[in-house]
Amino acid sequence: MQIDKVTLAGFRAHAASTVDFSADMNLLVGPNGAGKTNVLEAIHVACLSRSFLTHNDRHVLRRGSDHYAVEARFTSDRGKQIRVRVAFQPGAGKRVFVNGAPVERLTDLVGRVPVVVFAPDDQRITAEGPDERRRFLDSMLCQSSSTYLENLVNYRRTLKQRNELLLTQRRRGVPVDADVLASWTAELIRHAAPLVEARLAFVAGFNRHLETAYGRIARVAERPSIRYEPLPGIRAGEGSGGDAADDTGSEAGVGDDAAHPHIALSDIADALGAALERSGRAERQRGSTQTGPHRDELDMLLDGHLVRHYGSQGQHRTFGMALKLAQYDYLRERLGERPVLLLDDVFDNLDPGRIEAFLNILQSDAVGQSITTAARREIVHAHLPDGPCRTLQVVPGGQVEEAMDDGWGNGTRSGEQENGQITANDADHGEPETDRHD
Amino acid sequence: MQFTSESVEDLVEQFSKLPSIGRKTARRLASFVLKMPKTEVEELARALVAVKERVRFCTVCFNVTDHEVCPICASSRRNRSVICVVEEPNDVMALERTDGFDGVYHVLGGVISPLDGIGPEDLRIRELVARVSEPDAEWPVSEVILAVNPNVEGDTTAFYVSKLLAPLGVNVSRLARGIPMGGDLEYTDEATLARALEGRVSA
C-alpha cells in the first residue's frame, strides 16, 4: 500500500494543507510545533479512523475550526486506488467515506489500509504495564482480522455489562439473579475464547518475525521472543525452550510450528469458564471481572529474561523498534499488502549505528514507502545511503512544501524554495487546547 | 440562533427530548410547526395525546394495541403453538411485513442491560414463561423463536430466556444470521461470512 496524497483541513496545526508523497522514502522536516507529526496523524486517521496519539477527536480539531476533514488517496500493491475521507464535527460525530461511499461503522474501515507507526514511546511496550502490550497485540490483530476486531468490540461491551452487574451486586449487598450472571458469563466466554485462540496463533507465528527484525536493528546475539500463557496449560511462544528458532516455516505463511499444537476453541472456552469460576469470590468482592483477555499478559523476553525487569534503556528501545518492524512484516505476510509505514521522530534520540541500520532497512526492498518526521534533516541526511528520498518542509502554520530535492525525488511543485523560518511563538501550534468545544 | 419567543424555545426543548433529534433538528422542526396550518398542528397534538390515552398493551403478548387483546392474538387464523419473542412492538411490524409467519408474538419490552439498569424483572419474561407453561388443550406451545437482535445484550437475553424455557420441553430456536439477500460473498465482511458459515443449513 502506498499513500499518494493527503489533504488536511482544520486538523491540528493545519488550516488547509495538501501533501504529495513519493513511492519511496519521504522525510517531513521542520521545527517543533510546525505540524510534522500532524501529517502522520492525519494519515493514521485515514487508515484506522483515529489518531495514534489520542482517541478524542476534539483534541485533533484545529483551534477555531468547526470541523476537520482528512482525505487520502492510496494505491494498493496490486494497483487498486482507494480514496478515504474522514470528516468530524463536534456534536455531529465522525463520518467515513471509502471511494465516495459512506462506511456504516467506523470499524469497517479497519484493515483496508494497513498501517504501522514507529513512535518515540515505542519502548513503553516493554517498559510499562501489560496494557501497553495488549494494545500492541490488539492493534495488530484488529488490522489483520475483522473477526478479531468484532470479537474484541463485543467482548469489551459484554465485559462492561457484566462488570456493571457485579458492581450493582456489591453496592446492594445482595446476590443478583444467578441465571442472569451465568448468562453474561456465557456471553463473555463466547467472545473471549476466539480472542485467546487468535492471540495464541499470533504469538506462535510472530516470534520468527521478531527475531529477524531485532537482528537487523541491533546486530547482536541476543534472542528476543514473546511468550503468552493466558490460562493454565494453554500457552504459546516459549521463552527459553528454543522452539521459536524455526527457520523452516519462513514461507509457510501461517507459522504454526510443531511446538504449538492447535488448541481447540472448546478447550479454551472450558478453561476460561474454570478460571472465571475460580475468581468468583474475588469478583464479587471487587465488583469487576478479574480474569480474561482484558487481563492477559504478554511476556517479552531477551534470551529468556523479561525485558521489563532486566532490559537496559537501549534494549527497550531496540525491542520496541523490532516489534514495530516485525509488525510490518507480519501484516505484509498476512494481508499480502505492504502496510503504510509512518515514523514519528524516531531518529532524534538514536545512536549513529542504529540510525544507519534503520535507514538501510527503510531503503531496502523489504520496505516499500515510508514517511518519516525529523526535527533536523541533518540527522537523517548524514546517514543517508544513496537512494531516493523526498524531503518536504513543514512550516509553522501548517503548510507543506517541497524542500530541496535529495536523491531522485521528483519535484512536482517547481519554483518553491526552502522555507525553514522558525518563529518564536510557534511552540503550541501542534497542540490545540483540549475540550474547548464542550 | 436563539428564538425570541419563549413558546418556541419550549417546543424546541420538547423536540430535542426525542431520540436521535439534536438541538439543530429540533429547531428545524419547531420552525416547521410554526409554518404549519393550525388545523394540522391540532391534528398532530391530538394524535400525540390519543396515543397515550387509547393505546395499551395486549394482555397476552404485550404488543401495543387499542383493545384488550391485539388483533394478532385474537385472530383464529394464527397458530398459537408457535411464539415469536421480540424486543419491541416495531419488531412485530417488521416480521408481519414478511408475510412469512403465522404464529403469535411475545414482546419483551427490551433486553437485559445492567448498564441501563434493566434486569429480567423489568421485562415480560415471567409472563412468557407463564404463557408457555400454561396448559392449553387446543394450542399447546411447541416452539419458541427468539427473534432478538444479534448483539451482546440480545444474545445474553436469549441465553437467559432459553435457560428458563429449557425445563418446559418446548423447542427454542433463534433467527439465523448471515449474508443479506442480494448480497455478494466477495463483498460480505469477514465476520458476517464467518457467522453464516457457522450457522449453515443443509441444502
Side-chain angles (χ1 to χ4, degrees):
Chain A
M1 190 68 66
Q2 176 185 323
I3 179 158
D4 305 315
K5 182 194 201 111
V6 68
T7 307
L8 302 75
F11 192 94
R12 296 268 203 203
H14 298 266
S17 303
T18 298
V19 194
D20 294 284
F21 300 102
S22 78
D24 306 292
M25 221 184 126
N26 295 272
L27 189 63
L28 294 164
V29 294
N32 286 331
K36 302 184 296 291
T37 300
N38 304 165
V39 175
L40 301 190
E41 276 189 283
I43 297 170
H44 199 269
V45 166
C47 294
L48 298 178
S49 86
R50 57 174 181 76
S51 160
F52 57 91
L53 293 178
T54 174
H55 284 262
N56 191 338
D57 283 293
R58 287 166 193 264
H59 296 182
V60 173
L61 200 63
R62 180 181 157 87
R63 193 177 310 187
S65 293
D66 66 340
H67 77 288
Y68 80 65
V70 168
E71 204 165 331
R73 211 178 64 208
F74 301 96
T75 306
S76 79
D77 290 355
R78 290 180 204 89
K80 227 173 95 183
Q81 291 254 333
I82 303 170
R83 243 171 43 243
V84 179
R85 182 183 159 82
V86 179
F88 169 79
Q89 190 175 3
K94 189 153 52 178
R95 302 194 8 179
V96 178
F97 301 84
V98 175
N99 293 332
V103 167
E104 217 175 288
R105 296 173 303 177
L106 294 181
T107 52
D108 289 344
L109 181 66
V110 177
R112 288 184 204 233
V113 182
V115 63
V116 174
V117 189
F118 284 71
D121 62 356
D122 282 344
Q123 49 194 314
R124 286 171 55 186
I125 299 171
T126 51
E128 294 192 5
D131 284 16
E132 297 290 332
R133 291 180 281 286
R134 281 193 296 269
R135 203 194 323 264
F136 169 74
L137 187 67
D138 286 339
S139 85
M140 184 147 29
L141 287 168
C142 285
Q143 285 201 60
S144 63
S145 157
S146 65
T147 313
Y148 186 89
L149 175 59
E150 179 168 297
N151 272 313
L152 188 65
V153 169
N154 285 331
Y155 178 75
R156 286 181 178 156
R157 175 79 188 166
T158 310
L159 187 67
K160 234 172 139 180
Q161 290 277 22
R162 191 173 184 274
N163 284 347
E164 184 65 31
L165 191 67
L166 291 168
L167 202 65
T168 312
Q169 176 174 262
R170 199 183 67 163
R171 268 200 305 259
R172 290 194 192 145
V174 276
V176 294
D177 183 341
D179 283 340
V180 175
L181 185 59
S183 301
W184 282 111
T185 305
E187 183 71 6
L188 194 74
I189 293 171
R190 211 166 68 79
H191 299 299
L195 292 181
V196 172
E197 185 188 39
R199 288 176 179 184
L200 285 166
F202 161 75
V203 170
F206 187 69
N207 273 320
R208 172 169 59 84
H209 294 286
L210 180 62
E211 209 166 331
T212 310
Y214 197 91
R216 292 177 73 179
I217 299 166
R219 301 184 201 285
V220 286
E222 299 162 341
R223 198 169 67 82
S225 63
I226 293 184
R227 185 176 59 200
Y228 174 53
E229 186 170 2
L231 294 154
I234 293 180
R235 66 167 180 270
E238 294 286 63
S240 49
D243 57 305
D246 180 7
D247 289 330
T248 54
S250 56
E251 279 179 272
V254 186
D256 267 329
D257 57 21
H260 301 293
H262 186 71
I263 300 163
L265 195 61
S266 59
D267 289 341
I268 297 172
D270 289 348
L272 279 163
L276 282 162
E277 187 95 46
R278 280 194 302 275
S279 70
R281 177 201 284 266
E283 69 178 21
R284 273 192 302 276
Q285 272 169 4
R286 289 181 207 167
S288 66
T289 307
Q290 297 297 308
T291 180
H294 67 295
R295 290 289 182 93
D296 272 355
E297 173 61 294
L298 199 62
D299 291 331
M300 306 211 161
L301 311 146
L302 270 176
D303 290 334
H305 301 292
L306 278 174
V307 183
R308 190 174 173 208
H309 291 161
Y310 301 104
S312 67
Q313 280 291 338
Q315 283 171 328
H316 282 299
R317 192 178 295 276
T318 307
F319 209 106
M321 293 178 88
L323 283 170
K324 291 302 177 75
L325 195 59
Q327 177 180 19
Y328 183 91
D329 276 346
Y330 176 83
L331 287 175
R332 187 187 54 183
E333 193 176 280
R334 285 286 302 224
L335 303 171
E337 179 78 41
R338 289 178 302 189
V340 169
L341 187 57
L342 308 176
L343 300 102
D344 186 20
D345 258 346
V346 284
F347 294 116
D348 288 1
N349 295 311
L350 226 51
D351 61 76
R354 274 183 290 194
I355 291 180
E356 197 153 334
F358 206 74
L359 283 168
N360 272 322
I361 297 167
L362 291 187
Q363 300 210 311
S364 71
D365 290 337
V367 169
Q369 185 193 38
S370 64
I371 296 149
T372 306
T373 64
R376 285 170 300 144
R377 75 181 65 173
E378 311 85 67
I379 292 177
V380 176
H381 286 192
H383 295 274
L384 206 60
D386 289 340
C389 174
R390 182 180 207 196
T391 306
L392 297 156
Q393 179 81 37
V394 182
V395 299
Q399 271 143 47
V400 182
E401 296 175 340
E402 185 98 16
M404 59 180 209
D405 244 25
D406 303 272
W408 305 285
N410 41 347
T412 47
R413 302 197 218 175
S414 54
E416 277 173 358
Q417 75 282 54
E418 193 178 339
N419 187 351
Q421 282 147 15
I422 305 166
T423 51
N425 61 347
D426 62 302
D428 66 351
H429 271 239
E431 294 290 330
E433 72 182 68
T434 58
D435 285 334
R436 86 205 103 84
H437 286 272
D438 284 329
Chain B
M1 182 174 62
Q2 281 277 336
F3 286 97
T4 48
S5 149
E6 229 170 84
S7 4
V8 177
E9 272 301 324
D10 216 26
L11 186 59
V12 171
E13 197 66 42
Q14 294 302 326
F15 276 133
S16 47
K17 283 185 195 161
L18 299 175
S20 77
I21 305 279
R23 233 25 236 181
K24 224 173 184 171
T25 312
R27 285 191 196 120
R28 198 177 308 141
L29 289 175
S31 52
F32 182 80
V33 169
L34 270 179
K35 287 184 197 127
M36 276 165 77
K38 187 150 185 262
T39 51
E40 272 183 41
V41 177
E42 277 164 0
E43 264 171 60
L44 176 65
R46 263 200 303 278
L48 286 173
V49 176
V51 132
K52 284 314 278 186
E53 276 176 355
R54 255 188 268 144
V55 171
R56 43 190 168 158
F57 294 108
C58 168
T59 52
V60 181
C61 73
F62 301 97
N63 194 3
V64 288
T65 174
D66 290 346
H67 312 279
E68 166 99 16
V69 174
C70 76
I72 294 173
C73 288
S75 165
S76 58
R77 280 203 289 261
R78 307 295 295 219
N79 175 2
R80 270 177 267 157
S81 315
V82 182
I83 300 177
C84 182
V85 179
V86 297
E87 294 178 19
E88 302 290 347
N90 275 346
D91 302 329
V92 173
M93 285 186 239
L95 284 158
E96 280 298 285
R97 279 198 296 271
T98 67
D99 245 343
F101 181 65
D102 70 345
V104 291
Y105 296 94
H106 189 91
V107 182
L108 291 177
V111 279
I112 299 173
S113 174
L115 287 167
D116 298 306
I118 298 171
E121 64 283 356
D122 303 306
L123 306 168
R124 314 279 192 189
I125 290 178
R126 222 178 316 120
E127 290 85 344
L128 174 66
V129 175
R131 226 177 133 184
V132 173
S133 43
E134 203 169 283
D136 184 329
E138 200 187 347
W139 297 105
V141 176
S142 61
E143 185 180 2
V144 173
I145 304 165
L146 298 174
V148 289
N149 288 320
N151 53 32
V152 162
E153 292 78 17
D155 285 348
T156 304
T157 307
F159 188 92
Y160 178 81
V161 170
S162 56
K163 239 180 135 179
L164 290 184
L165 295 178
L168 301 177
V170 288
N171 264 325
V172 181
S173 59
R174 281 202 68 179
L175 292 187
R177 350 170 179 192
I179 303 148
M181 207 49 187
D184 196 320
L185 277 196
E186 191 188 343
Y187 298 114
T188 305
D189 72 277
E190 212 179 288
T192 306
L193 204 52
R195 262 201 311 266
L197 203 57
E198 216 177 79
R200 66 189 181 274
V201 290
S202 46

